[in-house]
């Protein structure tokens, strides 16, 4: 029969285990200090959307090409006043298509554009288009002079290309704010329409400014 170990011998394994535990705790503590104490880098924030009043549109050169897919969906949702998770219905069209541009009558167009709606039976909607043929500055000046302004208020600034024209027009139960102008050799127009019962003219002008800034950036 083996002799029973003395009390000192029995304590030795416990002392060794305690030392091992202490070493492990020390290592864990050093690891925590080396990693967890470092400040985490802040996640990059998204750039704010452009605002027409802060955007130098006279420096932008718009391409005479389709740009509908390049327009930020968040800008469309903000323009229509819908939620960010909602998907606005887009209706693109090309030069040579027969399009009803809101007059109730289809006509052949020589432009590239798109119309967005929230899908509801309301006059709310956003649109933008660019002429396919190049437009000289003299012709652009004639476009500005020939644009009908009956029932409209001419808005003072901000510029949307050069030359430029901005209007707020009363429609049947709605208000339409439009910006149009020359960017390089491209004549670009954007509009935003909302019911007068739910949107004030001041609010619509502000939303239209943000909307047209997003259009100009997407088309350039």
């Amino acid at each position: 029969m083996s002799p029973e170990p003395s009390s000192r011998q029995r304590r030795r394994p416990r002392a060794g285990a305690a030392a091992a535990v202490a070493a492990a705790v020390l290592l864990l503590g050093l690891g925590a200090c080396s990693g967890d104490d470092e400040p985490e880098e802040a996640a990059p924030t998204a750039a704010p959307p452009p605002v027409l009043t802060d955007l130098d549109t006279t420096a932008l050169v718009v391409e005479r090409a389709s740009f509908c897919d390049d327009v930020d969906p968040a800008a469309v949702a903000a323009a229509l006043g819908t939620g960010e998770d909602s998907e606005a219905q887009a209706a693109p069209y090309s030069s040579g298509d027969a399009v009803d541009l809101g007059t109730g009558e289809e006509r052949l167009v020589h432009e590239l554009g798109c119309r967005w709606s929230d899908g509801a039976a309301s006059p709310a909607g956003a649109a933008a288009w660019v002429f396919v043929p190049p437009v000289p500055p003299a012709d652009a000046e004639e476009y500005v002079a020939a644009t009908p302004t009956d029932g409209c208020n001419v808005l003072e600034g901000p510029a949307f290309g050069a030359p430029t024209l901005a209007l707020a027009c009363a429609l049947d139960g709605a208000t339409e704010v439009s910006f149009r102008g020359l960017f390089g050799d491209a004549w670009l127009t954007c509009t935003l329409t909302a019911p007068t019962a739910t949107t004030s003219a001041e609010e619509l002008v502000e939303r239209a400014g943000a909307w047209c800034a997003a259009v100009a950036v997407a088309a350039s």
Side-chain angles (χ1 to χ4, degrees), residues 61-80:
V61 178
V62 167
E63 298 182 10
R64 290 179 285 107
S66 178
F67 57 86
C68 296
D69 292 340
D70 297 322
V71 178
D72 187 356
V76 177
L80 296 177

Side-chain angles (χ1 to χ4, degrees), residues 39-64:
E40 296 183 0
E41 294 184 1
T45 57
V51 180
L52 196 55
T53 53
D54 298 332
L55 186 65
D56 183 8
T57 58
T58 61
L60 296 179
V61 178
V62 167
E63 298 182 10
R64 290 179 285 107

Side-chain angles (χ1 to χ4, degrees), residues 106-174:
E106 291 186 346
R107 64 179 181 86
L108 292 179
V109 298
H110 301 285
E111 58 201 43
L112 298 165
C114 200
R115 306 179 74 186
W116 292 265
S117 67
D118 58 5
S122 70
W129 61 90
V130 60
F131 283 179
V132 172
V135 176
D139 289 353
E141 294 284 0
E142 292 183 5
Y143 291 165
V144 170
T147 300
T149 58
D150 293 342
C152 303
N153 292 324
V154 177
L155 304 177
E156 297 295 333
F160 189 73
T164 184
L165 178 64
L167 298 172
C169 303
L171 304 179
D172 185 12

Side-chain angles (χ1 to χ4, degrees), residues 170-181:
L171 304 179
D172 185 12
T175 302
E176 179 186 84
V177 176
S178 62
F179 288 85
R180 65 202 73 204

